[in-house]
């Protein structure tokens, strides 16, 4: 380092130090900021206190009104003590409250929470989830959330909740927890047939949940948090995951409705389906609140006022694991094809078929060997590359044939340099391709075949719960982004971090684009080479676009794309090094002589190209004759 360089560094350091000192806040500014923060905290605290007072007053008034209405059918059930009843097994722990008689809290065991402090995930609790059944009587309504139920038949897997009426009738809810994630329950009215109108045949259900953020990447998780439902004898659908939807009307009867996070779901299933006209609500929440969306469903289903036939329900509360959900669905007692595995989104039909019948089987097979998830992604990539290698090699050899023919094409078409001669130039090129048995289109097909695999993996990897909290190399969690730098302020298009796997993916895309463009440039003739310059800039801008798209995506997906592009570039490099251009040209010359001697032996595509060329020449000749006339 010379003296001038050293002086330059010292001056830069002094400027930075001076700039930092000049911009640091004064003591008065610090005190003013602290006073502002204290004032804001005081205002928020005052709001919280007033809200609690208002809620307490509302409850007191409701209790007084209930105590005074001694004519109410469920007067005695309007008062009581709220207790918690816990149903549990090795997979899930569900808490039911005696007030309301429904599930108020769901804890899924065996999965890390968002802070990695517990091996359990609280999907919802009494503050964030409400399930309410409403029955319309002749003169008054029964609302289960206002009633206190007496628990009997209590065990780890069963409980009977009973709310007694003044006339000796009752509302009874029977719960039975399966051996994993399926909860079976019924609602039945006993001795209340005179309470309802003769034609009353259905009940109303209101179900709401403020979906918790369970993963580190809020934006990415929010993309996969949806209110999902399945139409009776139809397919599944969901409300838009980004837009606010209020009381969206569903015109078809539904088998089930689910509040779905990225990796966990709660689904409510009715034996007699939910009637058409259900209203669905999905409201996205702000980042930093700890919540993803506010879900609400207003439903109707069968109800027998005589009590002879209970209304039957099931709830799936568990992870979004394709294989597991299919196994759990077999425990359903309703005899329907529920398709609950559709909670694991695998893409549009074509891509879903690829994931359903290939990716999942390969993924499960490799996982069964005990490999880490990162190694599994690498092995899946290698397997896919091995399957597509024959097509990739065919594509490369087609390009190589065009490359070695380029000097001959230049020589044969040099007289067509004028813009008005471009049609003739293309015709001459097509004729030569046909004579040498070269198909310029054969290089496109392998890319079209590989593209669905890329898109299928785009849908599979973010929904694979097996990647959740799995580490590999520097990556702490393959299901979310892997930041090398983080900051507090949100920057449009980037967010609040830089993901290393995204940078590697974009770098591999630049390398692959460079090798692809060089290969295509070597085979272009005349004006095509000039057009490639614009295409080249577009190909180099694509990785930049991918960076803005994928910086927030899961590191597992970015890692898969990085490995895939790296091996694609390596395969292209090896093919280039192992291809003997002189031998390839000799083969093409031999084919040219053979086709010249016997034109009928030309390949089908080559013959079609030559026929098209002759047809174009004939059309051009006819146009010229018409112009002369």
């Amino acid at each position: 380092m010379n003296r001038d360089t050293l002086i330059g560094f010292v001056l830069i350091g002094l400027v930075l130090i001076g700039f930092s000192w000049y911009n640091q806040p004064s003591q008065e500014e610090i005190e003013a900021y602290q006073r502002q923060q204290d004032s804001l905290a005081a205002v928020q605290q005052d709001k919280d206190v007033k809200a609690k007072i208002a809620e307490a007053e509302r409850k007191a008034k409701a209790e007084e009104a209930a105590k005074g209405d001694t004519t109410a059918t469920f007067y005695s059930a309007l008062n009581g003590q709220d207790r918690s009843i816990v149903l549990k097994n090795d997979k899930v722990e569900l808490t039911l409250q005696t007030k309301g008689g429904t599930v108020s809290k769901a804890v899924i065991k065996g999965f890390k929470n968002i802070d990695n402090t517990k091996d359990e995930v609280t999907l919802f609790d009494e503050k964030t989830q409400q399930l309410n059944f409403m029955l319309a009587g002749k003169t008054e309504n029964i609302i289960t959330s206002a009633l206190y139920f007496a628990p009997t038949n209590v065990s780890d897997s069963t409980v009977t909740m009973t709310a007694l009426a003044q006339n000796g009738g009752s509302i009874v809810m029977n719960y039975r927890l399966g051996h994993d994630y399926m909860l079976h329950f019924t609602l039945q009215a006993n001795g209340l047939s005179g309470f309802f109108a003769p034609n009353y045949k259905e009940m109303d259900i209101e179900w709401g949940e403020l979906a918790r953020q369970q993963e580190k990447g809020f934006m990415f998780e929010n993309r996969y948090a949806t209110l999902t439902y399945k139409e009776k004898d139809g397919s599944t659908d969901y409300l838009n995951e980004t837009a606010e939807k209020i009381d969206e009307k569903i015109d078809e009867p539904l088998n089930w409705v689910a509040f779905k996070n990225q990796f966990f779901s709660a689904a409510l299933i009715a034996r007699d389906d939910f009637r058409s006209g259900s209203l669905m609500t999905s409201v996205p929440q702000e980042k930093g609140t700890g919540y993803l969306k506010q879900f609400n469903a207003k439903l109707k289903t069968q109800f027998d006022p005589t009590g002879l036939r209970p209304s039957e329900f099931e709830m799936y509360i568990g992870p979004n694991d394709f294989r597991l959900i299919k196994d759990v669905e077999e425990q359903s007692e309703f005899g329907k094809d529920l398709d609950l595995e559709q909670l694991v989104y695998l893409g549009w039909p074509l891509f879903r078929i690829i994931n359903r019948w290939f990716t999942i089987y390969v993924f499960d097979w490799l996982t069964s060997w005990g490999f880490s998830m990162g190694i599994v992604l690498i092995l899946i990539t290698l397997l896919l590359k091995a399957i597509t290698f024959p097509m990739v090699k065919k594509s490369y050899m087609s390009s190589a044939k065009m490359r070695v023919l380029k000097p001959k094409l230049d020589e044969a078409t040099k007289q067509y340099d004028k813009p008005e001669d471009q049609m003739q130039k293309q015709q001459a090129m097509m004729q030569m391709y046909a004579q040498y048995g070269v198909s310029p289109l054969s290089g496109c097909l392998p890319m079209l075949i590989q593209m669905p695999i890329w898109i299928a993996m785009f849908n599979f990897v973010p929904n694979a719960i097996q990647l959740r909290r799995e580490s590999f190399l520097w990556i702490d969690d393959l299901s979310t982004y892997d930041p090398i730098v983080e900051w507090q302020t949100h920057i449009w298009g980037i967010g609040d971090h830089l993901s290393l796997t995204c940078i590697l993916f974009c770098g591999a895309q630049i390398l692959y684009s460079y090798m692809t463009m060089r290969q295509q440039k070597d085979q272009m003739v005349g004006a095509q080479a000039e057009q490639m310059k614009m295409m080249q800039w577009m190909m180099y801008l694509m990785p930049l676009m991918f960076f803005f798209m994928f910086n927030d995506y899961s590191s597992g997906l970015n890692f898969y794309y990085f490995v895939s592009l790296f091996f694609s570039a390596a395969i292209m490099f090896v093919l280039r090094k192992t291809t003997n251009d002189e031998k390839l040209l000799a083969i093409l010359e031999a084919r040219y002589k053979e086709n010249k001697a016997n034109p009928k032996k030309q390949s089908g595509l080559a013959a079609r190209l030559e026929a098209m060329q002759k047809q174009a020449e004939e059309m051009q000749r006819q146009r010229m004759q018409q112009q002369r006339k």
Side-chain angles (χ1 to χ4, degrees):
M1 183 182 293
N2 58 34
R3 185 183 65 178
D4 293 340
T5 304
L6 181 60
I7 293 173
F9 278 120
V10 171
L11 290 175
I12 292 172
L14 290 175
V15 169
L16 291 175
I17 294 171
F19 183 77
S20 301
W21 176 83
Y22 178 78
N23 283 278
Q24 68 179 355
S26 64
Q27 185 62 32
E28 291 79 6
E29 291 174 329
I30 294 174
E31 291 175 356
Y33 176 78
Q34 188 61 48
R35 286 194 299 271
Q36 181 185 20
Q37 295 302 307
D38 292 342
S39 177
L40 290 173
V43 170
Q44 184 61 45
Q45 185 177 7
D46 183 58
K47 286 183 179 179
D48 293 341
V49 170
K50 289 181 178 178
K52 290 179 180 179
I53 293 173
E55 178 65 16
E57 290 177 348
R58 185 192 64 77
K59 288 183 178 180
K61 289 179 181 179
E63 290 174 1
E64 287 299 321
K67 291 177 182 177
D69 186 10
T70 57
T71 62
T73 303
F74 281 87
Y75 168 71
S76 59
L78 291 171
N79 300 277
Q81 183 178 3
D82 193 11
R83 293 172 51 198
S84 297
I85 306 297
V86 177
L87 305 181
K88 60 183 179 180
N89 54 32
D90 294 337
K91 305 294 180 61
V92 68
E93 183 176 298
L94 306 178
T95 302
L96 291 82
Q97 299 301 131
T98 56
K99 184 176 183 182
T102 58
V103 178
S104 62
K105 183 179 181 180
V107 176
I108 302 172
K109 302 177 182 179
F111 296 91
K112 289 287 187 181
N113 64 352
I114 190 170
D115 299 322
N116 284 328
T117 56
K118 295 180 180 179
D119 285 327
E120 59 183 38
V121 170
T122 300
L123 187 60
F124 58 77
D125 59 21
E126 63 277 4
K127 296 179 180 178
T128 59
Q129 192 265 174
Q130 305 84 33
L131 178 59
N132 191 20
F133 299 90
M134 294 167 288
L135 306 171
K138 295 176 183 177
T139 59
E140 58 182 298
N141 297 330
I142 299 174
I143 302 175
T144 58
S145 61
L147 303 180
Y148 287 87
F149 289 77
T152 57
N153 189 31
V154 179
S155 69
D156 283 347
S157 59
T158 62
V159 65
T160 298
M161 295 285 201
T162 305
L164 294 174
Q166 297 297 89
N167 65 351
S170 62
I171 297 292
V172 179
M173 302 177 72
N174 278 298
Y175 290 90
R176 176 168 48 86
L177 179 62
H179 61 267
D180 40 33
Y181 302 101
M182 189 70 85
L183 175 68
H184 311 264
F185 68 99
T186 63
L187 187 149
Q188 189 171 13
N190 296 323
L192 296 173
S193 56
F195 180 86
F196 303 101
N199 60 346
Y200 185 69
K201 299 295 183 183
E202 63 184 16
M203 72 169 72
D204 290 275
I205 303 171
E206 286 191 359
W207 185 29
E209 181 186 332
L210 186 58
R212 291 186 173 200
Q213 180 182 347
Q214 304 288 359
E215 314 304 324
K216 178 174 68 175
F218 173 84
M219 298 298 293
F220 188 66
E221 184 183 5
N222 216 2
R223 290 187 181 99
Y224 296 93
T226 58
L227 193 158
T228 306
Y229 53 89
K230 180 183 180 295
E231 297 176 356
K232 181 182 178 182
D233 302 323
S235 59
T236 59
D237 203 348
Y238 57 90
L239 298 189
N240 188 291
E241 66 273 23
T242 58
E244 181 178 294
K245 297 292 183 179
I246 306 293
D247 287 344
E248 186 88 356
K249 187 177 180 181
I250 310 300
D251 294 325
E252 299 295 327
L254 306 176
N255 287 147
W256 51 261
V257 177
F259 298 157
K260 174 183 174 295
N261 285 40
Q262 183 180 1
F263 293 122
F264 304 96
S265 293
L268 181 62
I269 310 159
R271 174 184 283 278
D272 295 289
D273 305 318
F274 299 113
R275 305 287 194 252
S276 60
S278 300
L279 300 177
M280 308 292 184
T281 294
S282 175
V283 181
Q285 304 299 294
E286 293 293 330
K287 183 177 181 180
T289 61
Y291 300 101
L292 303 171
K293 290 183 175 72
Q294 174 67 60
F295 295 133
N296 286 96
K298 296 178 182 178
L299 313 164
K300 292 179 182 292
T301 192
Q302 175 273 337
F303 173 72
D304 181 7
T306 67
L308 297 177
R309 182 167 178 251
S311 300
E312 298 183 61
F313 303 91
E314 291 174 337
M315 285 191 78
Y316 173 79
I317 302 175
N320 299 334
D321 184 320
F322 189 91
R323 295 282 190 209
L324 184 147
I325 293 178
K326 283 191 68 69
D327 292 340
V328 172
E329 186 178 325
E330 294 179 0
Q331 301 172 28
S332 174
E333 299 172 356
F334 297 164
K336 300 178 181 180
D337 186 11
L338 296 174
D339 280 339
L340 277 172
E341 67 272 12
Q342 298 273 4
L343 289 170
V344 183
Y345 184 70
L346 298 178
W348 291 349
L350 172 62
F351 313 125
R352 182 175 183 82
I353 290 172
I354 295 173
N355 285 325
R356 172 67 181 87
W357 300 107
F358 175 78
T359 311
I360 289 178
Y361 280 99
V362 173
F363 190 83
D364 290 345
W365 175 64
L366 292 174
T367 304
S368 67
W369 287 84
F371 296 119
S372 69
M373 290 299 115
I375 297 297
V376 167
L377 290 174
I378 293 175
L379 293 176
I380 287 179
T381 306
L382 291 174
L383 179 61
L384 291 173
K385 292 301 176 186
I387 293 173
T388 58
F389 177 75
M391 294 178 289
V392 172
K393 184 176 181 180
K394 183 178 179 180
S395 172
Y396 176 81
M397 293 308 297
S398 176
S399 299
K401 291 173 184 178
M402 295 170 69
R403 183 181 70 245
V404 298
L405 287 176
K406 183 176 181 296
K408 292 182 177 293
L409 289 170
D410 288 335
E411 181 64 26
T413 60
K414 64 182 180 180
Q415 68 269 30
Y416 305 121
D417 288 337
K418 297 179 181 179
E420 60 269 20
D421 296 335
Q422 291 305 305
M423 176 65 75
Q424 292 176 288
K425 185 173 186 177
Q426 290 293 329
Q427 292 171 356
M429 290 171 59
M430 288 299 177
Q431 185 176 12
M432 285 195 68
Y433 285 144
Q435 291 170 345
Y436 280 93
V438 175
S439 171
L441 302 178
S442 62
C444 303
L445 184 60
M447 180 57 67
L448 294 176
I449 294 175
Q450 291 185 80
M451 188 58 67
I453 297 175
W454 264 57
I455 299 175
M457 293 299 290
F458 175 84
N459 290 295
F460 174 78
V461 174
N463 290 291
I465 194 172
Q466 293 84 351
L467 299 180
R468 186 178 185 270
R469 300 295 191 270
E470 288 293 322
S471 61
F472 182 68
L473 299 177
W474 70 89
I475 306 170
D476 294 329
D477 186 352
L478 285 165
S479 70
T480 187
Y481 60 83
D482 56 320
I484 52 172
V485 179
E486 291 185 277
W487 52 86
Q488 297 299 320
T489 305
H490 179 84
I491 299 177
W492 182 87
I494 299 178
D496 56 6
H497 65 274
L498 290 178
S499 175
L500 179 56
T501 52
C502 181
I503 294 173
L504 292 174
F505 160 42
C506 295
Q509 178 68 40
I510 292 174
L511 174 63
Y512 182 71
S513 298
Y514 168 75
M515 298 182 71
T516 302
M517 295 301 296
R518 187 181 66 172
Q519 177 176 315
Q520 293 179 352
K521 186 177 180 180
D522 290 343
Q523 67 193 42
M524 295 300 174
V525 179
Q528 291 179 333
E530 294 298 321
Q531 295 172 1
M532 281 298 297
K533 292 181 179 180
M534 180 60 69
M535 181 66 70
Q536 183 175 0
W537 281 109
M538 292 176 63
M539 292 293 289
Y540 286 148
L541 284 174
M542 190 178 296
L544 181 62
M545 295 169 57
F546 281 156
F547 172 77
F548 290 114
M549 291 172 57
F550 286 85
N551 188 48
D552 229 10
Y553 271 62
S554 73
S555 54
L557 182 63
N558 282 323
F559 181 73
Y560 165 76
Y561 283 156
F562 161 67
V563 174
S564 180
L565 285 167
F566 176 80
F567 281 118
S568 294
I571 289 171
M572 190 177 297
F573 177 80
V574 171
L575 288 174
R576 181 68 181 258
K577 288 296 183 181
T578 55
T579 300
N580 189 316
D581 288 359
E582 293 181 358
K583 289 184 179 180
L584 183 60
L585 182 58
I587 293 172
L588 292 176
E589 291 288 359
R591 185 179 299 170
Y592 173 78
K593 293 177 181 178
E594 184 179 358
N595 289 335
K596 274 288 188 182
N598 187 4
K600 294 183 179 180
K601 293 189 65 176
Q602 291 187 28
S603 65
L605 180 60
R608 286 194 297 272
L609 289 173
E610 187 170 5
M612 290 170 59
Q613 186 263 339
K614 290 180 179 179
Q615 184 179 6
E617 288 180 352
E618 179 63 23
M619 292 175 62
Q620 185 176 10
R621 185 183 64 80
Q622 292 177 0
R623 284 197 299 268
M624 292 178 65
Q625 289 179 350
Q626 290 176 356
Q627 289 175 359
R628 292 193 188 100
K629 292 179 180 179

